[in-house]
Amino acid sequence: MELVEAIILSVLAASTPLLIAATGELVTERSGVLNLGVEGMMIVGAACGFAGAWLTGSIFIGALFGIVAGTMMSLFFALMALGLAVNQVATGLALTILGVGLSGLIGAGFVGERITPAVHLSIPGLTDIPLVGRVLFGEDAFVYFSIALLVGVWWFLYRTRAGLILRACGDNHVSAHALGYPVLRIRTLAVMFGGACAGLAGAYLPLAYTPFFIPGMTAGRGWIALALVVFSSWRPGRLVVGAYLFGAVTILQLHAQGWGVGIPSQFMSALPYLATIVVLVLLSRARSGGSTAPAALGTVFVPDR
Amino acid sequence: MQLVLEKRAERSGTIALVSPLIAIGLTIATMVILFAILGKNPLLALHAYFIAPLTDGYSLQEIAVKATPLVMIAIGLSLCYLANAWNIGAEGQFLIGAVAGSWIAVRTQGTDAGAWVLPVMLVLAAAAGALYALIPAICKVKFGASEILTSLMLVYVADLFLDYLVRGPWRDPHGFNFPTTAEFDPVATVPLLIEGGRLHFGSILALLVVAAAAILLGRTIKGFEIRVVGAAPRAARFGGFKADRLIILTFAVSGALAGLAGIIEVAGPVGHLQPGISPGYGFTAIIVAFLGRLNPLGILIAGLFLALTFIGGEQAQITMKIPLDVTKVFQGILLFYVLACDSLILYRFKLVFPNRQVTSGAG
């Protein structure tokens, strides 16, 4: 029982950064923009988040640093891909290459330092309930926030007029423009939201997952978050399933290594990446009848006037 | 008053030529600011980065050595990008090529195997790189899975596989437990061009690849097909060109070139297989491809320039204690500026005054 609880807890912890980053990217992509720079924004968020928390001693301020850093990175992207109509795939790659360098530069002074990680909720009585107590009432603030964020995004996309307009931009930017909606402004806001989420997701790693910063600590999570958005068919509801499934694969391989299964650890570590490929193939195949991606995803839009 | 983009009637030839130079200029200006923030003398830092490596023979050879994998990978990537196929996993194909070629080197170690070893290593590495690149290509063509994500995921897999080999079955028994194979035998090593120098035969091969790509793109139907499929997919369909087959072909060629670059790096400058054989060649080659405007000759020049930043970065770290990550930041910023300047080939900036337009329309 103890072990089951421990596994569920660690799955939640491993899934949360994926969920936050993927939620942000989902909003960006629903507006028609493909920002491949999630990994770059996340790793800068991780470095700045740790720097903020280490300098101020506050996890909250650290998280804010991460959010601001991710948003600023995404503004670079918006300036290029939306302002200058540059190819979005190439710009996203540039953002990742830049992010990896910047995070190394920012984080260099903090390697080897430790902070007190984010505190976990503790409600006497409730948190002590066996099996479900710590899972439901003993998480850190990031985990609860990630769920709230996802519900908020679902509500925004499907229950508000602004969400409808954002989806219209993603499906047909010419029509949205003709109706008088400021397509580029809406997309810029969506890209900024994606950047803020990626920055927060990155900051989660050194603030709650491990209490220290190491260069390259995102280890491809930004790319997996991008794959999760495809997995979810661009729907927030399925995103949560995908994120926890991937968290489970990550934890499973860690535990399998601990149990001394006779498979080299490197093969187990490769599982999340291989799982991503398998899932992408299976899903893309199942969807052969027609794509569920936003119709204008990744296309350049220069308004005529 | 508002600044907007306006599509040019036709591509601007002048800007196409000068845009990489503008981008480099803007990047250097940005670096001056970055050096100042880091508290380093910008002029001395720029000297260490761009001038010092050009002043001695050893560094010049080292630039050619570093440019070799960059140019070979970037030529392959440029074919993919021209055909609108997004292979960003060249780093993984590089590593798998290095592993496949090293297999022969490790198996023949200490035996009296003859001169056939190196050619077989090269062929095997190219084949392995091509096969590894075919995984994302086939997933794309058969199942519609994003080749961007699958090719990138395979980088991590290749990295872990190499790590397993050099820590496990292929580890040098006399290597003091370091994760590395034993030094390759002379027959499994790329010959040097200058006795006692650094320049090796691989650089000649890279030049041949550049020439072959220039002929392919400029003189053959296949090259024309690649460019049409990328630039005008609809026209290509009417012309009967099969985009799917080109995705497979360009991925296979770029994978083969990346794999070849991998084994040349291992059997050449490094001399044995170990983790960290690539300081991100596969990703830097993406920058090289774009900086070279996806043109073979341009890629050769861009490859030499980015190799210069690697060598300059190492020198600046030694002489001025500038962190190595500055080189990555430099490369990232450079790609940003290159892409931004490219936008000016197709568009021009225009100031619009919305209010005035309304009044003139009414009058």
Side-chain angles (χ1 to χ4, degrees), chain A residues 36 39 76 80 83-87 89-91 93-95 97-98 100-102 104-105 219-220 223-224 226-227 230 264 266-267 269-270 273-274 276-277 280-281 284-285 300 302 305, chain B residues 2 4-5 34 38 86 88 139 143-146 148-150 152-154 156-157 160-161 163-164 167 283 286-287 290 323 325-326 328-329 331-333 335-336 339-340 343 347 349 352:
Chain A
L36 288 180
E39 179 82 2
F76 270 127
M80 298 278 298
L84 291 173
V86 177
N87 180 311
V89 174
T91 310
L93 289 176
L95 196 66
I97 294 172
L98 179 67
V100 170
L102 271 182
L105 210 54
W223 295 104
I224 292 180
L226 278 163
V230 180
Q266 290 92 343
F267 291 158
S269 302
Y273 308 116
L274 290 172
T276 307
I277 297 172
L280 281 173
V281 166
S284 310
R285 188 182 183 183
V300 165
V302 179
R305 45 197 91 222
Chain B
Q2 216 178 349
V4 297
L5 286 182
L34 184 63
L38 288 170
W86 291 95
I88 60 169
C139 289
F143 309 114
S146 159
I148 300 168
L149 295 173
T150 47
L152 191 100
M153 287 296 135
L154 287 171
Y156 292 96
V157 176
L160 287 162
F161 184 55
D163 193 72
Y164 157 73
R167 283 176 205 280
F283 297 110
I286 298 172
I287 305 176
F290 280 110
D325 285 306
V326 170
K328 276 194 204 126
V329 173
Q331 295 175 351
I333 292 176
L335 181 52
F336 261 111
L339 295 170
S343 172
Y347 303 95
F349 282 112
V352 290

Side-chain angles (χ1 to χ4, degrees), chain B residues 8 19 42 56 75 90 103 111 131 140 157 183 204 214 231 287 293 295 298 342:
Chain B
R8 289 179 194 272
S19 86
D56 71 289
I75 290 281
W103 179 58
T111 64
L131 283 177
K140 168 76 177 180
V157 176
E183 287 295 311
I204 305 282
I287 305 176
R293 314 210 43 80
N295 166 301
D342 278 7

Side-chain angles (χ1 to χ4, degrees), chain A residues 46 59 171 173 189 204 217 225 246 271 294:
Chain A
I59 295 292
D171 279 327
H173 46 216
L189 290 173
Y204 171 84
M217 73 186 301
F246 269 85
L271 265 184

Side-chain angles (χ1 to χ4, degrees), chain A residues 12-30 33-46 66-67 70-71 74 142-143 145-147 149-150 153 190-205 218-230 232 234-236 239-240 242-244 246:
Chain A
L12 281 175
S15 309
T16 298
L18 297 176
L19 185 59
I20 296 176
T23 306
E25 178 66 15
L26 186 133
V27 172
T28 304
E29 292 193 12
R30 282 312 281 260
V33 184
L34 178 66
N35 184 355
L36 288 180
V38 181
E39 179 82 2
M41 300 187 292
M42 264 183 95
I43 190 82
V44 171
I67 291 172
T71 312
S74 71
F142 290 96
V143 175
F145 181 77
S146 69
I147 306 283
L149 186 72
L150 190 80
V153 161
V191 166
M192 286 170 70
F193 180 77
C197 289
L200 180 67
Y204 171 84
L205 294 171
T218 47
R221 286 186 177 85
W223 295 104
I224 292 180
L226 278 163
L228 279 175
V229 177
V230 180
S232 74
W234 291 266
R235 286 163 201 277
L239 201 58
V240 74
Y244 288 140
F246 269 85

Side-chain angles (χ1 to χ4, degrees), chain B:
Chain B
M1 192 178 87
Q2 216 178 349
L3 199 61
V4 297
L5 286 182
E6 190 186 64
K7 201 157 180 108
R8 289 179 194 272
E10 54 188 309
R11 291 167 49 94
S12 163
T14 342
I15 293 189
L17 272 178
V18 297
S19 86
L21 298 178
I22 302 175
I24 291 174
L26 288 171
T27 311
I28 290 178
T30 312
M31 292 308 283
V32 166
I33 299 170
L34 184 63
F35 287 135
I37 293 172
L38 288 170
K40 310 283 178 189
N41 182 333
L43 284 180
L44 286 179
L46 286 181
H47 183 269
Y49 257 85
F50 300 111
I51 312 288
L54 297 174
T55 52
D56 71 289
Y58 181 83
S59 298
L60 281 176
Q61 286 191 45
E62 199 62 21
I63 289 170
V65 167
K66 278 268 193 304
T68 299
L70 289 176
V71 169
M72 286 180 74
I73 301 170
I75 290 281
L77 292 181
S78 71
L79 297 181
C80 287
Y81 299 163
L82 280 172
N84 220 358
W86 291 95
N87 178 7
I88 60 169
E91 181 86 359
Q93 294 139 25
F94 176 94
L95 295 175
I96 286 297
V99 163
S102 298
W103 179 58
I104 301 288
V106 170
R107 288 299 297 270
T108 59
Q109 214 139 39
T111 64
D112 52 357
W116 58 268
V117 173
L118 185 66
V120 171
M121 282 166 68
L122 296 181
V123 169
L124 206 62
L131 283 177
Y132 207 59
L134 279 178
I135 302 173
I138 288 171
C139 289
K140 168 76 177 180
V141 171
K142 287 268 178 236
F143 309 114
S146 159
E147 79 276 26
I148 300 168
L149 295 173
T150 47
S151 65
L152 191 100
M153 287 296 135
L154 287 171
V155 174
Y156 292 96
V157 176
D159 199 35
L160 287 162
F161 184 55
L162 189 157
D163 193 72
Y164 157 73
L165 288 174
V166 294
R167 283 176 205 280
W170 290 2
R171 192 172 58 196
D172 179 11
H174 313 293
F176 304 103
N177 260 339
F178 280 113
T180 163
T181 66
E183 287 295 311
F184 290 177
D185 289 340
V187 287
T189 309
V190 178
L192 292 172
L193 284 180
I194 306 166
E195 197 67 38
R198 293 282 293 160
L199 204 58
H200 56 76
F201 179 71
S203 304
I204 305 282
L205 213 57
L207 288 177
L208 290 177
V209 167
V210 170
I215 293 168
L216 171 75
L217 288 172
R219 296 267 177 274
T220 65
I221 301 277
K222 206 40 133 190
F224 178 69
E225 217 178 305
I226 290 174
R227 284 184 290 139
V228 172
V229 164
R234 244 173 87 84
R237 268 204 301 281
F238 289 130
F241 296 160
K242 300 258 189 314
D244 281 1
R245 212 181 293 166
L246 272 188
I247 292 178
I248 300 270
L249 178 78
T250 53
F251 259 81
V253 170
S254 75
L257 287 174
L260 203 55
I263 192 58
I264 288 175
E265 187 70 10
V266 167
V270 180
H272 55 259
L273 189 66
Q274 63 169 46
I277 48 170
S278 163
Y281 285 135
F283 297 110
T284 307
I286 298 172
I287 305 176
V288 172
F290 280 110
L291 182 63
R293 314 210 43 80
L294 306 182
N295 166 301
L297 197 62
I299 286 171
L300 179 63
I301 299 168
L304 287 167
F305 179 71
L306 275 153
L308 173 67
T309 68
F310 270 121
I311 307 296
E314 283 169 16
Q315 292 206 347
Q317 188 196 24
I318 297 164
T319 56
M320 297 184 67
K321 299 203 163 43
I322 292 174
L324 268 183
D325 285 306
V326 170
T327 309
K328 276 194 204 126
V329 173
F330 173 89
Q331 295 175 351
I333 292 176
L334 179 63
L335 181 52
F336 261 111
Y337 281 131
V338 168
L339 295 170
C341 291
D342 278 7
S343 172
L344 295 179
I345 300 171
L346 294 176
Y347 303 95
R348 68 162 66 95
F349 282 112
K350 199 181 163 195
L351 280 174
V352 290
F353 304 90
N355 295 334
R356 201 181 298 170
Q357 274 177 351
V358 171
T359 40
S360 65

